[in-house]
Amino acid sequence: MRIRILLAAALALSLSACKKSFIELVPQTAVTEATYFKTANDYTQAVVGSYVPLRNIYGDAYVMGEMRSDNATYFASPGLQGGQFSDKWNISGFLDIPINMYGTNKYASCYVGIARTNAILDRIDASTIDAGVKANLKGQAQFLRAFYYFELVQYFGGVPLHLKEVSSVAETALPRSPADDVYKQIIADATSAATLLPAKQTTLGMVTQGSAKTLLGYVYMTLKRYPEAETVLTDVTKLGYSLVTNYANVFVGRNTAESIFEVQYLEGPQGQQSNFAFQFAPNITNIKNILGPSGDNKTTGGWNKPTPDLIAAYEAGDTRKNASIAFSFVDGDGNTVNDTYCKKYTHGPYANFNNTGDDWIIYRYADVLLLLAEALNEQGKAGQAIPYINQVRTRAGLAATAAISQTDMRVAIAKERRVELAFENHRWLDLVRTGQAINVMTAFGATIKTQQPYLPTNAYTNITQNRLLFPIPQSELDINKQLQQNPGY
């Protein structure tokens, strides 16, 4: 069965401390510390609640992960007003400020997840639940805490390191810990999780040993600890994952043999739905001919639009191109419009407007193969990297790579990651991790403004070292006076 992440499970973690007293009776109809965290089911529901923030994060993660990069821009919408539009445009053009709803959502959602995992980890060791169940649930909580902190440190740098459940207002205000300390904690949590989690879960959507080792691989690559990255990523290749034969089916299917970590969504009125297909479709007044249901997509869509630069990166015959990008569409009046949009997440027709059950894949096997190739190449093992990059190229209908030297292989792997993982929120972080962000985005900005005249004249003019991190949200600075803003904001 799929995970059903319910709001009630999340609320079960909103527990308040109470002193023992004859007048402080435990309510019989409310969830409190006195009645919760007793059984294996209690802990299971608490862990399920810790997955909930992932849906909030990945509902708009593309804004910071893709639209900040040279992969994506947006449809011209000069008549649209409001922060939901301008905040996306500003992140895309390096014009963002600390008051931006998308940075705030990522920051706040990660800490919601961290708070929920802390509540579990503070208690689970002392619980009397079955040892095997305990290990699995503890591993999931450790993985999720590590993952949320990895999101924070990559996008914001050093952040407050909360490792215990907060029981007072005073405990909520911590200064920023150095990024090195955050990474140490991420490695500690993910390493422990990898020893506790099974290779396979009986409940789809729950993280596994492969999820934890892939996270570790990413952390080690970010820290340029290539031998350690090689070890854990090689381990992942032995856990039974495989490439789906048809690239397009990676996204049409759900929880496939290629999926390592996937955010679960559910279509319908439960409030667990996704809407990527509508966000990425053109911003036209009737979306029926593209996605199925009638509906005005003018204020919903138009985001993650493929750039000419990305389109040019695909080689002739690459099957990933047409699986990822549509080059024309039929509007609500039946007119064919020759323009591009991201169709990677379009699996309609859908029953309802702006409501789908499409999942978001965070880690998948092709990603691991390319990351492993990069880890090997950075150690001077270009020859050993070739089979891994070629597995991905063969699936895409391409010939074996011609790269032989370390320098050529570095370029080939970066290009392969770009087209293989396009629109999956890897491109911006890849550019930062490999030291290419400033040069690539400066050149891209100069070009895209000649191609898209509606872009602001000051867009892409502030691409500096400071902009490799996003600003700490102003709302956080306002309530926690121990926080300091990132330079340049």
Side-chain angles (χ1 to χ4, degrees):
M1 59 177 285
R2 286 168 47 82
I3 290 179
R4 299 300 185 237
I5 300 178
L6 304 176
L7 181 60
L11 291 177
L13 294 173
S14 300
L15 307 175
S16 58
C18 59
K19 297 178 181 179
K20 293 182 179 179
S21 153
F22 72 95
I23 61 171
E24 293 177 352
L25 301 177
V26 176
Q28 298 301 305
T29 59
V31 176
T32 71
E33 284 181 334
T35 60
Y36 204 70
F37 287 117
K38 300 294 185 183
T39 68
N41 185 63
D42 291 342
Y43 280 97
T44 298
Q45 288 301 309
V47 168
V48 168
S50 298
Y51 285 86
V52 170
L54 292 171
R55 287 208 309 269
N56 285 335
I57 292 169
Y58 282 87
D60 55 36
Y62 67 90
V63 180
M64 297 168 70
E66 287 288 325
M67 287 184 58
R68 185 71 151 197
S69 80
D70 52 347
N71 274 3
T73 181
Y74 51 89
F75 283 84
S77 307
L80 299 179
Q81 302 293 326
Q84 63 175 313
F85 309 112
S86 61
D87 282 3
K88 290 178 182 177
W89 302 335
N90 289 339
I91 285 176
S92 179
F94 291 78
L95 301 173
D96 50 308
I97 60 175
I99 302 173
N100 186 293
M101 67 175 65
Y102 300 101
T104 299
N105 178 60
K106 181 181 288 288
Y107 192 98
S109 295
C110 283
Y111 272 112
V112 169
I114 290 165
R116 293 176 181 179
T117 57
N118 282 343
I120 297 163
L121 294 170
D122 278 358
R123 297 171 172 83
I124 196 166
D125 283 342
S127 72
T128 59
I129 65 175
D130 176 80
V133 173
K134 180 189 294 189
N136 190 342
L137 295 174
K138 180 179 178 180
Q140 291 183 64
Q142 287 180 323
F143 170 90
L144 289 168
R145 183 167 71 177
F147 181 81
Y148 289 130
Y149 271 122
F150 191 43
E151 280 285 287
L152 288 168
V153 76
Q154 288 180 103
Y155 282 101
F156 301 101
V159 292
L161 198 54
H162 288 274
L163 300 176
K164 295 290 182 181
E165 183 181 27
V166 172
S167 59
S168 68
V169 174
E171 292 176 357
T172 64
L174 292 181
R176 297 176 67 175
S177 293
D180 286 348
D181 289 350
V182 179
Y183 277 113
K184 287 177 184 176
Q185 184 61 44
I186 293 167
I187 292 171
D189 275 344
T191 299
S192 178
T195 68
L196 296 173
L197 290 168
K200 300 287 184 182
Q201 292 278 14
T202 56
T203 302
L204 292 175
M206 287 185 167
V207 293
T208 63
Q209 183 183 130
S211 310
K213 292 198 170 188
T214 301
L215 171 58
L216 276 170
Y218 258 109
V219 173
Y220 289 138
M221 289 299 291
T222 302
L223 298 176
K224 305 190 184 307
R225 292 165 57 172
Y226 301 119
E228 291 159 290
E230 177 190 348
T231 297
V232 294
L233 293 169
T234 300
D235 288 347
V236 178
T237 68
K238 301 173 183 178
L239 291 173
Y241 300 104
S242 61
L243 296 179
V244 173
T245 303
N246 185 328
Y247 178 80
N249 289 342
V250 175
F251 310 97
V252 174
R254 306 178 68 182
N255 304 295
T256 68
E258 187 165 337
S259 177
I260 297 174
F261 180 26
E262 184 167 330
V263 182
Q264 310 291 299
Y265 290 86
L266 180 66
E267 182 177 3
Q270 299 89 345
Q272 300 176 38
Q273 73 274 10
S274 60
N275 67 346
F276 320 125
F278 291 87
Q279 290 194 61
F280 301 161
N283 57 342
I284 56 179
T285 54
N286 191 343
I287 205 71
K288 180 177 177 59
N289 292 323
I290 299 175
L291 299 179
S294 297
D296 186 349
N297 210 49
K298 196 71 178 174
T299 60
T300 307
W303 308 108
N304 236 15
K305 176 179 167 62
T307 63
D309 195 74
L310 170 62
I311 294 168
Y314 288 91
E315 298 174 44
D318 192 332
T319 59
R320 295 171 294 194
K321 184 177 182 179
N322 286 329
S324 302
I325 301 171
F327 291 89
S328 66
F329 57 87
V330 178
D331 67 15
D333 297 322
N335 301 311
T336 298
V337 180
N338 293 317
D339 204 349
T340 59
Y341 68 91
C342 168
K343 73 171 186 179
K344 199 171 202 174
Y345 302 93
T346 301
H347 310 142
Y350 300 103
N352 299 296
F353 177 75
N354 208 32
N355 189 316
T356 83
D358 296 331
D359 290 350
W360 190 280
I361 302 172
I362 298 177
Y363 299 147
R364 57 186 179 89
Y365 191 53
D367 182 6
V368 167
L369 294 175
L370 294 175
L371 209 59
L372 177 55
E374 185 180 334
L376 290 164
N377 189 57
E378 292 304 318
Q379 297 176 76
K381 304 175 183 178
Q384 295 180 42
I386 289 174
Y388 295 109
I389 188 174
N390 282 343
Q391 286 186 56
V392 178
R393 288 179 60 81
T394 298
R395 198 257 300 269
L398 299 176
T401 181
I404 298 176
S405 69
Q406 183 185 50
T407 299
D408 289 346
M409 184 62 72
R410 188 176 288 137
V411 173
I413 292 170
K415 181 177 179 180
E416 207 64 39
R417 285 187 62 81
R418 184 182 189 187
V419 294
E420 172 70 27
L421 304 171
F423 312 115
E424 296 179 47
N425 304 337
H426 292 286
R427 179 59 174 171
W428 169 250
L429 293 177
D430 275 358
L431 289 174
V432 174
R433 177 172 55 79
T434 58
Q436 299 298 308
I438 294 174
N439 289 339
V440 167
M441 293 309 299
T442 298
F444 168 77
T447 301
I448 193 69
K449 287 199 291 186
T450 66
Q451 298 167 335
Q452 309 286 2
Y454 57 83
L455 296 176
T457 57
N458 59 341
Y460 301 101
T461 59
N462 190 25
I463 304 172
T464 64
Q465 187 71 25
N466 289 337
R467 290 278 163 164
L468 300 185
L469 292 176
F470 285 81
I472 301 295
Q474 187 61 48
S475 57
E476 299 296 325
L477 296 172
D478 290 342
I479 61 176
N480 182 358
K481 299 305 180 182
Q482 296 194 63
L483 291 180
Q484 293 183 333
Q485 184 56 273
N486 283 325
Y489 293 99

